[in-house]
Amino acid sequence: MSIPDFPEPGVIFRDVTSVLQDPDGLKLSIDEMQKFVKEVDCDVICGTESRGFIFGMPIAYNLHKAFVPIRKKGKLPRETISASYELEYGEAEVEIHKDAIQPGQKVVLVDDLIATGGTIEACARLIEELGGEVTRIVFLMELAGLKGREKLANYDVKSVICYEGK
């Protein structure tokens, strides 16, 4: 579902709650994203706050992989590293526990949506700073008109659904 002028005027927010509220839609979404994860070697699945948790956790569970949350600044209790990034409507910062990824671990990043690519690019930088290798980035939806895939050109990016617009 598309919500105009949220969280700010001029932004169209793509809401996944309608998918989550439909048992068949939820199962299909997770199953299709999971297919992309199964195609690559990975030790850990990282999900971004908060919708990346919704999709990443069941995929990690199903594939018997570790799950690591990447959260907004100030939400994790132990020592962290952080990365800042620009959103289409401002700036933000994400953090990961400093011991969450071990050098050499292969990581798949999962999120619900790619727009400008800023959030997930910052998450990839965190994983790499800890010595991990991002083997794939998986999204449920892609807003191709916002050109986020260009920001992630150095990564293997897959999306289940691609909207040509913004």
Side-chain angles (χ1 to χ4, degrees):
M1 179 177 291
S2 300
I3 312 296
D5 299 321
F6 183 83
E8 294 185 0
V11 174
I12 299 174
F13 185 80
R14 307 297 177 163
D15 184 27
V16 298
T17 57
S18 58
V19 171
L20 302 176
Q21 293 168 344
D22 174 37
D24 293 332
L26 177 60
K27 182 174 183 350
L28 181 62
S29 297
I30 291 170
D31 288 349
E32 291 302 308
M33 293 173 79
Q34 185 169 289
K35 286 177 187 176
F36 289 137
V37 176
K38 287 174 78 173
E39 293 174 350
V40 296
D41 189 15
C42 82
D43 304 301
V44 177
I45 295 173
C46 285
T48 59
E49 186 168 348
S50 63
R51 292 176 306 274
F53 299 174
I54 293 168
F55 295 103
M57 180 60 78
I59 294 170
Y61 176 84
N62 289 340
L63 299 180
H64 198 248
K65 303 292 182 184
F67 179 81
V68 171
I70 299 177
R71 302 214 53 196
K72 295 172 185 169
K73 185 170 180 61
K75 301 283 187 176
L76 292 171
R78 298 191 320 267
E79 189 176 0
T80 61
I81 61 168
S82 64
S84 59
Y85 61 97
E86 289 187 23
L87 298 164
E88 60 186 295
Y89 48 83
E91 281 192 17
E93 197 168 348
V94 288
E95 293 181 323
I96 189 171
H97 279 135
K98 198 171 187 178
D99 63 355
I101 303 296
Q102 302 306 308
Q105 283 189 310
K106 295 179 182 340
V107 179
V108 172
L109 274 162
V110 174
D111 205 354
D112 69 322
L113 175 101
I114 176 175
T116 62
T119 305
I120 209 79
E121 191 268 337
C123 294
R125 282 188 280 131
L126 290 174
I127 291 163
E128 292 165 349
E129 185 177 334
L130 293 175
E133 175 190 349
V134 178
T135 56
R136 180 164 279 172
I137 302 174
V138 177
F139 300 99
L140 177 60
M141 296 181 285
E142 177 176 355
L143 305 179
L146 293 175
K147 303 184 186 319
R149 192 177 278 262
E150 292 176 12
K151 185 171 276 190
L152 303 174
N154 294 329
Y155 300 99
D156 179 7
V157 176
K158 301 289 185 187
S159 59
V160 175
I161 301 164
C162 183
Y163 295 103
E164 293 306 316
K166 298 178 180 180

